[in-house]
């Protein structure tokens, strides 16, 4: 057994992210670029570092290679430790056969041996597709004080959006009395954030019993949480009031990037007290050409801008040639937009090339998407809401 840890984090990063369409065809959702110089996974991992949690298991499954390479030794997040660290955990294999993770609970079940190496008192379960800054140590302190079996982070959402979330109904003391999965007529607007702290002894028992149930979907929201409620375990809600964005769709990913352009932005990425760490390649400063115009935009290092850019997020090593106009868009690392092209309300994937005089997206309507490593020909048009790529 390794050095005992009070709390171990398990980060669910194996989903395909099909709602992100062409962007996740060859890339796991947590590895998608965000905000010019980050990846989505940087946020929960940085939260662990800032919260003093130094054992993080990352459960991968779909398209894991890029995510594995990005995480590496964990050095950018100060998680390259002898007595802890960050570990990539693919589906477990025994003998000749491996077994895919069947659900969120099953993915933790398959890694019970990993968790027990550290003999933790508590296990923090996280999703790999949310943008937020959160002190998990404060949540853990609340969990311990409440003597709960599980503490679930909740955030109040607009009533008209409650049908999109798992809703936690509580009594006056914050104890969860009922869980409703995407209700048509919600009784409260406390939405689950997909952040759980379990007392490990309780979770281990539930995972083992759930695995034995052939009817179970092996899912926390569908199976584990309702079963614990039915058995009278103490479940409490921990209210989080900060910025939180589920970036599981094209629209929400675009919106979260656009949020960074507000003044002040709702999430501060310049906060020295709670840094968001990332694996960034050393790049020279960006070059802004003599005739370039950049208005209310984020521009990351290593690029070259010679056109007009407004209200957009420009990632590292992006090239924008003469007479290009870019509005309300997210341009991911290494993309090139050739002379005379116009880009409206779009997401341009990594290392893609937009040929000269192309027209991507529209001033209004749904977000247009060009996938990674895609060439859009000279003079081509990509309509609002259209996705192109290989």
């Amino acid at each position: 057994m390794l050095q005992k840890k009070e709390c171990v984090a398990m980060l669910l990063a194996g989903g395909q992210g099909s709602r992100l369409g062409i962007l996740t065809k060859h890339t796991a959702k947590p590895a998608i670029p965000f905000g010019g110089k980050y990846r989505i996974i940087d946020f929960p991992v940085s939260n662990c570092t800032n919260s003093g949690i130094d054992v993080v298991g990352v459960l991968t499954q779909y398209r894991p290679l890029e995510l594995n390479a990005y995480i590496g030794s964990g050095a950018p997040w100060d998680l390259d430790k002898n007595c802890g660290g960050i570990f990539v955990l693919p589906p477990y294999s025994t003998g000749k056969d491996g077994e895919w993770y069947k659900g969120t609970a099953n993915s933790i079940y398959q890694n019970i041996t990993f968790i027990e190496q550290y003999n933790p008192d508590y296990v923090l379960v996280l999703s790999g597709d949310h943008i937020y800054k959160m002190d998990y140590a404060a949540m853990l302190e609340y969990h311990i004080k409440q003597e709960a079996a599980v503490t679930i982070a909740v955030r109040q959402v607009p009533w008209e959006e409650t049908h999109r979330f798992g809703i936690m109904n509580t009594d006056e003391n914050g104890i969860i009395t009922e869980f409703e999965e995407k209700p048509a007529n919600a009784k409260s607007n406390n939405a689950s954030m997909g952040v759980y702290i379990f007392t490990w002894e309780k979770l281990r028992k539930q995972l083992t019993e759930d695995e034995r149930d052939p009817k179970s979907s092996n899912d926390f929201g569908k199976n584990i949480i309702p079963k614990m409620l039915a058995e009278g375990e103490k479940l409490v809600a921990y209210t989080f009031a900060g910025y939180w964005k589920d970036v599981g769709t094209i629209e929400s990913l675009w919106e979260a990037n656009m949020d960074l352009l507000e003044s002040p932005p709702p999430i501060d990425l310049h906060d020295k007290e709670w840094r968001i760490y990332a694996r960034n390649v050393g790049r020279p400063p960006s070059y802004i050409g003599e005739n370039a115009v950049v208005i209310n935009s984020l521009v990351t290092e290593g690029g070259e801008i010679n056109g007009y850019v407004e209200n957009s997020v420009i990632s590292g090593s992006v090239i924008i040639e003469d007479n290009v106009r870019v509005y309300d868009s997210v341009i991911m690392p290494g993309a090139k937009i050739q002379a005379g092209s116009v880009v409206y309300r779009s997401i341009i994937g990594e290392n893609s090339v937009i040929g000269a005089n192309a027209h991507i997206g529209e001033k209004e309507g749904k977000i247009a998407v060009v996938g990674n490593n895609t060439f859009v020909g000279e003079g081509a048009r990509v309509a609002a809401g259209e996705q192109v790529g290989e």
Side-chain angles (χ1 to χ4, degrees):
M1 185 176 294
L2 300 174
Q3 179 183 350
K4 178 178 174 59
K5 298 291 182 179
E6 182 181 35
C7 184
V8 167
M10 301 295 279
L11 200 163
L12 305 174
Q16 180 176 352
S18 57
R19 292 180 301 161
L20 284 172
I22 197 71
L23 293 176
T24 51
K25 187 172 182 180
H26 302 289
T27 304
K29 179 166 54 173
I32 295 294
F34 175 80
K37 64 187 303 179
Y38 304 98
R39 305 270 168 174
I40 295 172
I41 198 172
D42 289 329
F43 289 81
V45 176
S46 294
N47 287 338
C48 287
T49 296
N50 291 324
S51 301
I53 295 173
D54 62 1
V55 174
V56 181
V58 180
L59 284 67
T60 63
Q61 181 159 281
Y62 175 77
R63 298 285 181 181
L65 293 180
E66 185 176 1
L67 192 59
N68 293 1
Y70 183 73
I71 291 170
S73 68
W77 305 273
D78 193 28
L79 288 171
D80 52 339
K81 297 181 177 295
N82 293 327
C83 299
I86 189 167
F87 303 88
V88 175
L89 304 172
Y92 188 66
S93 177
T94 56
K96 296 180 180 179
D97 300 318
E99 183 179 28
W100 288 112
Y101 292 143
K102 294 179 289 186
T104 53
N106 174 258
S107 66
I108 305 295
Y109 174 81
Q110 288 198 37
N111 288 285
I112 284 178
T113 302
F114 169 80
I115 296 170
E116 289 187 331
Q117 292 180 101
Y118 297 96
N119 189 27
D121 298 313
Y122 309 100
V123 172
L124 169 67
V125 179
L126 303 169
S127 297
D129 54 359
H130 299 150
I131 303 297
Y132 67 118
K133 298 194 300 183
M134 182 178 183
D135 186 352
Y136 302 139
M139 182 177 172
L140 177 60
E141 183 179 349
Y142 182 79
H143 175 85
I144 295 170
K145 183 178 179 180
Q146 292 291 321
E147 298 181 337
V150 58
T151 298
I152 301 173
V154 300
R155 185 176 182 275
Q156 292 188 339
V157 298
W159 282 94
E160 61 271 18
E161 295 184 13
T162 52
H163 67 280
R164 297 176 46 223
F165 297 94
I167 299 298
M168 300 293 169
N169 300 322
T170 65
D171 65 15
E172 64 276 10
N173 297 315
I175 296 175
I176 296 169
T177 57
E178 184 182 15
F179 170 65
E180 297 181 284
E181 180 65 29
K182 299 180 179 179
N185 297 293
K187 299 174 185 176
S188 81
N189 63 340
N190 287 326
S192 170
M193 295 169 55
V195 176
Y196 311 107
I197 293 180
F198 288 90
T199 296
W200 174 232
E201 181 182 358
K202 302 280 189 180
L203 177 59
R204 181 173 49 196
K205 171 180 176 291
Q206 292 293 335
L207 292 174
T208 303
E209 292 177 359
D210 180 73
E211 190 66 20
R212 293 173 184 158
D213 182 0
K215 297 180 181 179
S216 177
S217 301
N218 307 121
D219 184 84
F220 281 110
K222 294 177 182 177
N223 306 110
I224 300 292
I225 300 302
K227 182 171 178 287
M228 293 181 78
L229 269 175
E231 292 176 354
E233 294 284 7
K234 186 176 182 180
L235 281 67
V236 300
Y238 178 81
T239 302
F240 176 74
Y243 180 89
W244 177 81
K245 193 83 167 183
D246 180 340
V247 289
T249 67
I250 292 294
E251 296 287 333
S252 61
L253 177 62
W254 178 84
E255 288 170 0
N257 276 276
M258 294 299 105
D259 286 345
L260 302 178
L261 304 177
E262 294 181 11
S263 183
I267 182 169
D268 182 7
L269 299 183
H270 299 281
D271 183 0
K272 294 180 180 178
E273 300 300 318
W274 199 274
R275 285 187 57 191
I276 301 300
Y277 301 92
R279 182 179 296 282
N280 287 309
V281 178
R283 299 186 180 100
S286 286
Y287 172 77
I288 309 297
E290 181 180 359
N291 297 316
V293 176
V294 179
I295 299 173
N296 191 43
S297 297
L298 292 180
V299 179
T300 309
E301 303 95 330
E304 181 179 331
I305 298 178
N306 291 289
Y308 181 97
V309 176
E310 183 174 350
N311 207 54
S312 295
V313 175
I314 310 299
S315 303
S317 301
V318 166
I319 296 176
I320 296 176
E321 294 186 350
D322 292 334
N323 300 315
V324 167
R325 289 174 290 155
V326 177
Y327 303 89
D328 305 316
S329 294
V330 179
I331 315 299
M332 291 185 172
K336 182 176 183 179
I337 305 176
Q338 294 182 345
S341 291
V342 179
V343 179
Y344 288 108
R345 290 174 60 83
S346 298
I347 299 176
I348 309 299
E350 293 185 76
N351 303 313
S352 290
V353 176
I354 308 302
N357 302 307
H359 189 110
I360 314 296
E362 304 294 343
K363 291 182 180 180
E364 298 179 349
K366 292 185 176 181
I367 308 305
V369 183
V370 175
N372 298 339
N373 304 299
T374 298
F375 178 75
V376 176
E378 181 176 349
R381 295 186 70 92
V382 177
E386 186 178 356
Q387 298 188 26
V388 298
E390 299 180 358

